[in-house]
Amino acid sequence: DLMIKDAGKAKDLVNSCVKTVELSERQACDVFCLLHGAFSPLKGFMDETTYNAVVKDMRLPEKQLFGLPVTFDMNDVSSFKQGEKLLLKWKGENVAVLEASSIYKP
């Protein structure tokens, strides 16, 4: 469960975001699957190492079987920097905060 239930902590997290992204339907589906554990054992979108392992061997780096690459796709990442937090919105509602731990183009 990746949900923050404490309203104060959630507000602080939202306030730490430097940019806002309105999710597409596909992105929103992936975010909600991550939040509710449907992509377990993932706790977030895949970084480059994990992505490459799944594409090459259909396994996570820890060797668990996982055949679906789960990435946050964007057309233009030039305005984002590694380490920044992005507020993810779906239909105008705050749904998640994404920390850009890795930015890459496969």
Side-chain angles (χ1 to χ4, degrees):
D1 185 12
L2 299 175
M3 305 292 280
I4 295 178
K5 293 168 181 61
D6 180 276
K9 287 181 183 178
K11 184 178 179 182
D12 290 343
L13 191 57
V14 167
N15 289 336
S16 71
C17 294
V18 296
K19 300 205 178 8
T20 300
V21 175
E22 182 67 31
L23 298 170
S24 68
E25 192 168 340
R26 172 69 185 164
Q27 290 168 326
C29 180
D30 286 348
V31 168
F32 289 120
C33 284
L34 283 166
L35 289 174
H36 296 289
F39 289 142
S40 182
L42 297 182
K43 297 198 182 312
F45 289 103
M46 293 178 175
D47 61 14
E48 186 172 6
T49 301
T50 305
Y51 173 86
N52 287 331
V54 168
V55 169
K56 182 178 181 264
D57 300 321
M58 294 183 61
R59 294 192 177 271
L60 296 171
E62 299 80 18
K63 303 302 179 200
Q64 300 105 316
L65 184 63
F66 205 96
L68 174 70
V70 182
T71 60
F72 188 74
D73 62 313
M74 297 181 74
N75 291 331
D76 181 19
V77 296
S78 63
S79 65
F80 298 107
K81 296 181 185 131
Q82 191 169 333
E84 288 184 330
K85 290 182 182 161
L86 312 175
L87 177 60
L88 305 181
K89 291 181 165 257
W90 171 239
K91 296 186 177 180
E93 296 289 325
N94 298 349
V95 295
V97 171
L98 172 69
E99 184 172 341
S101 62
S102 173
I103 298 173
Y104 66 98
K105 184 175 183 174

